[in-house]
Amino acid sequence: MKLTETKTNDYLDGQIEKISKAEFKKLKRNEDFDFDWSLEVGNEVYKIIIKDKKEILGLISLINFPEEFRIHINLIESSKIHRGKKKLIKNISGCLIAFTCQISFERGYEGFVSLTPKTELVKYYNKIYGFQEMGNQMAVYYELSNLIIQKYLSDEKI
């Protein structure tokens, strides 16, 4: 996983896991995040942490659409201290998106992942992750998903 400490450029040993029901309650009014993550309780919600530590670095909410062979990213957010130019750890969102692409392959969806970005983020998702516009949504699949997985989850140093 390519979580990187910004100051030292060292890789950190991260892990992604499903959040528990107890954690949902703590996320209702959490000062580390802007969104009320307790509203995502009906979706698959995963957290990214540094291995053996409790601090949640970021969260992603997924909706499975098996009839369409895709996973939709409903919401994604890094904690406040890991955003912008002064973030302490980088690649949090990239690792969460790559994890979603991996799940899509595991479910037989050929890496098909979609999201509905805010207007100002369309160019960002295209430039950074390769998402392509498809109506009011954006998506990646197969080759692009493999590239995202390789870039953010591979153990190879880049």
Side-chain angles (χ1 to χ4, degrees):
M1 191 169 300
K2 299 286 181 5
L3 284 177
T4 309
E5 191 171 14
T6 307
K7 288 181 182 177
T8 63
N9 229 23
D10 290 337
Y11 287 127
L12 302 169
D13 194 10
Q15 65 186 49
I16 298 172
E17 53 193 44
K18 212 169 201 175
I19 68 167
S20 68
K21 290 183 181 185
E23 286 173 308
F24 267 114
K25 292 177 184 175
K26 293 177 186 174
L27 291 171
K28 184 170 180 127
R29 286 191 174 76
N30 189 309
E31 61 191 36
D32 295 332
F33 295 94
D34 289 332
F35 297 106
D36 180 355
W37 281 88
S38 68
L39 300 174
E40 300 297 309
V41 72
N43 299 334
E44 292 178 51
V45 179
Y46 295 89
K47 65 182 177 182
I48 186 167
I49 60 172
I50 296 170
K51 197 171 185 177
D52 299 325
K53 299 213 175 172
K54 292 183 180 184
E55 177 197 356
I56 297 175
L57 308 175
L59 295 161
I60 192 165
S61 171
L62 308 177
I63 301 173
N64 188 24
F65 288 98
E67 66 283 358
E68 297 176 20
F69 301 100
R70 75 178 165 102
I71 296 177
H72 184 77
I73 298 173
N74 196 52
L75 194 57
I76 184 170
E77 184 180 16
S78 294
S79 65
K80 290 178 182 175
I81 63 169
H82 301 300
R83 290 186 221 157
K85 293 179 181 178
K86 294 185 178 186
K87 63 183 145 211
L88 301 177
I89 297 173
K90 58 186 174 182
N91 298 334
I92 292 169
S93 293
C95 290
L96 289 167
I97 291 169
F99 176 77
T100 304
C101 293
Q102 192 172 10
I103 290 173
S104 176
F105 279 112
E106 289 169 2
R107 293 182 184 173
Y109 302 167
E110 296 189 353
F112 189 12
V113 173
S114 65
L115 55 81
T116 307
K118 295 176 183 173
T119 309
E120 65 270 12
L121 293 175
V122 170
K123 288 181 183 176
Y124 175 81
Y125 281 111
N126 175 259
K127 181 180 176 186
I128 302 299
Y129 304 110
F131 276 81
Q132 302 297 310
E133 289 185 69
M134 296 183 170
N136 68 342
Q137 294 187 358
M138 298 184 82
V140 291
Y141 50 91
Y142 203 72
E143 188 175 332
L144 289 170
S145 291
N146 273 315
L147 289 172
I148 294 168
I149 292 168
Q150 182 67 29
K151 182 175 180 179
Y152 292 100
L153 296 184
S154 161
D155 287 334
E156 295 174 25
K157 300 285 185 192
I158 53 173

